[in-house]
Amino acid sequence: MKKVTLIPGDGIGKEISQATLEVLAAAKAPLDFDVVMAGQEAYEKEGAYLPQRLLDSLDESRLALKGPVMTPIGQGFSSINVQLRKKYDLYCNFRPIKAPGPLPLRYEGVNLAIFRENTEDLYAGLEEEVSPEEARSIKVITRQASQRIARAAYDYALRSGRKKVTIVTKANIMKKTDGLFLRACQEVAQDYPSIKTETLLVDNMAMQLVLHPETFDVILTENLYGDILSDLAAGLIGGLGLVPGANLGRDMAIFESVHGTAPDIAGRDMANPTAMLLSACLLLDHIDQKDLAQKIRRALYQVLSDKKNYTQDLGGSLGTRAFTKEVIQCLERMD
Ligand code: NAI
């Protein structure tokens, strides 16, 4: 059994974590979960957004499945996610975006892999209030961090038979920071001659993704652009309820959905647990349980191939619990 730290999280986090645990149990995943709180609930019960017990568990397991957590907005408190990514140097944020099953969408053939640099950029937390009327934020880009995310993207492209990497920046305006990111990525690209490299400015990229998403393959970009483009890309395949993610470091990995705590639907049995289930599948891939991950994906895709199983975000009416039951029954039929 592999030890995994499970952070249920806030808002819909508990509901989708429960659903994920039930599906993993039905699939007989060899995972031993240490359930630890973080975020708002942890703050209310233990007086800390990131309790020491969580850090101890992560130090031991080096592997986590995480629900979304609430960070107070605009109160001078650094985001819990950003803190975790920095503390454990989880430099690579990987977000595969592919419609699970034949969803009724305007876009066909979307199959993107976004590689977002996860430790620098405007997320460095270097903000200052110059006066009550003026505030500043410093953007940090280094060659080392840019090259290691580029290498992660190109290695993945090579490993998974992808053809093209699109480097996305705003280097025409931020010539020094984005210019450095672009040059560093282009230097790495030279080591991968079989992979086509193209460069696009982020504003054009946003439009091209809406017009022709099927023409893109791997997207390599900075922290903020990656955050925004992955929500945009999630919208192309049916929404945030469907997109998983991985935060990868050298010897630590935290898997979590792209979406947040969805306070508008929390506690109402309305959340789509697919994104967290697919994040659990990425975790299983990571620990070489690829067959099990594929089995869970097949069950999910089968359930999502029938419109009557759609949750509300997909235009259906099934609740979180009923959807989870369908996935479990499907897994049981596969045995
Ligand atoms: P959000 O992702 O929570 O919600 C955006 C919209 O998508 C909402 O309408 C929500 O109902 C819907 N949605 C999201 N996930 C869904 C799911 N699984 N099933 C069905 N519908 C879903 O983004 P928002 O509202 O900007 O952020 C809310 C809170 O989440 C904030 O406190 C923010 O800090 C936090 N957050 C946490 C993240 C994390 O822990 N990784 C990531 C993003 C936001």
Side-chain angles (χ1 to χ4, degrees):
M1 296 286 255
K2 184 85 181 158
K3 186 170 170 194
V4 180
T5 303
L6 176 77
I7 306 165
D10 299 314
I12 59 170
K14 266 204 190 124
E15 297 160 79
I16 57 174
S17 297
Q18 182 59 32
T20 306
L21 285 180
E22 286 172 19
V23 170
L24 288 170
K28 302 183 191 69
L31 305 174
D32 175 19
F33 285 104
D34 182 20
V35 182
V36 197
M37 280 184 293
Q40 185 67 25
E41 194 186 357
Y43 184 73
E44 282 161 14
K45 293 195 175 144
E46 302 186 12
Y49 286 100
L50 279 178
Q52 187 58 42
R53 188 167 122 49
L54 169 67
L55 304 179
D56 292 344
S57 177
L58 289 172
D59 283 337
E60 194 193 330
S61 67
R62 316 300 293 174
L63 186 64
L65 182 59
K66 177 181 164 299
V69 291
M70 211 280 280
T71 294
I73 293 177
Q75 292 177 24
F77 180 86
S78 160
S79 150
I80 294 156
N81 296 311
V82 172
Q83 283 189 58
L84 282 175
R85 289 166 195 168
K86 273 199 192 157
K87 177 169 173 55
Y88 294 107
D89 198 19
L90 302 168
Y91 65 89
C92 173
N93 189 203
F94 167 58
R95 295 175 160 183
I97 293 158
K98 185 179 179 194
L103 294 165
L105 300 166
R106 276 179 53 205
Y107 300 98
E108 300 272 323
V110 177
N111 187 3
L112 305 168
I114 298 185
F115 280 79
R116 161 189 174 196
E117 202 291 319
N118 220 12
T119 59
E120 303 196 321
D121 192 359
L122 287 163
Y123 288 63
L126 298 175
E127 286 193 294
E128 62 169 348
E129 192 179 288
V130 180
S131 75
E133 306 306 317
E134 186 181 344
R136 292 180 185 168
S137 182
I138 296 174
K139 175 165 182 158
V140 178
I141 299 287
T142 65
R143 179 182 302 279
Q144 190 251 355
S146 307
Q147 289 199 326
R148 66 181 179 171
I149 186 67
R151 211 158 278 290
Y154 279 92
D155 279 344
Y156 165 85
L158 210 55
R159 231 180 22 250
S160 44
R162 300 270 187 166
K163 303 276 179 279
K164 182 172 78 166
V165 173
T166 305
I167 305 169
V168 181
T169 65
K170 189 77 181 168
N172 58 330
I173 302 296
M174 281 159 279
K175 296 186 193 324
K176 292 205 162 57
T177 47
D178 286 26
L180 175 58
F181 183 85
L182 178 58
R183 280 195 309 281
C185 291
Q186 284 172 325
E187 281 160 22
V188 169
Q190 288 175 8
D191 294 339
Y192 301 82
S194 63
I195 308 284
K196 183 173 177 220
T197 296
E198 73 179 355
T199 60
L200 279 187
L201 297 175
V202 65
D203 42 351
N204 185 19
M205 182 70 191
M207 181 185 72
Q208 297 296 340
L209 266 179
V210 173
L211 288 177
H212 310 292
E214 72 289 348
T215 61
F216 294 98
D217 199 349
V218 176
I219 296 169
L220 166 59
T221 190
E222 295 166 28
N223 208 339
L224 180 61
Y225 307 144
D227 193 17
I228 297 168
L229 290 178
S230 50
D231 269 37
L232 190 160
L236 301 174
I237 64 154
L240 284 169
L242 299 173
V243 182
N247 298 290
L248 306 168
R250 252 179 2 153
D251 63 349
M252 163 84 108
I254 299 182
F255 296 84
E256 65 177 339
S257 315
V258 167
H259 64 70
T261 58
D264 50 336
I265 58 168
R268 297 166 63 189
D269 192 37
M270 283 168 70
N272 184 349
T274 301
M276 191 158 184
L277 281 166
L278 289 172
S279 302
C281 291
L282 290 178
L283 182 151
L284 289 168
D285 285 340
H286 183 75
I287 58 165
D288 270 335
Q289 289 282 342
K290 293 195 169 57
D291 290 348
L292 197 55
Q294 273 312 97
K295 185 177 169 187
I296 297 172
R297 286 189 187 103
R298 273 203 309 279
L300 260 174
Y301 295 173
Q302 204 166 317
V303 167
L304 284 167
S305 67
D306 188 342
K307 272 189 188 174
K308 80 170 173 28
N309 292 331
Y310 286 178
T311 42
Q312 290 189 29
D313 53 316
L314 302 177
S317 60
L318 226 56
T320 314
R321 285 196 294 269
F323 179 86
T324 308
K325 211 163 137 195
E326 290 294 333
V327 178
I328 290 171
Q329 282 170 356
C330 186
L331 273 171
E332 285 166 355
R333 284 196 297 274
M334 289 162 123
D335 281 337

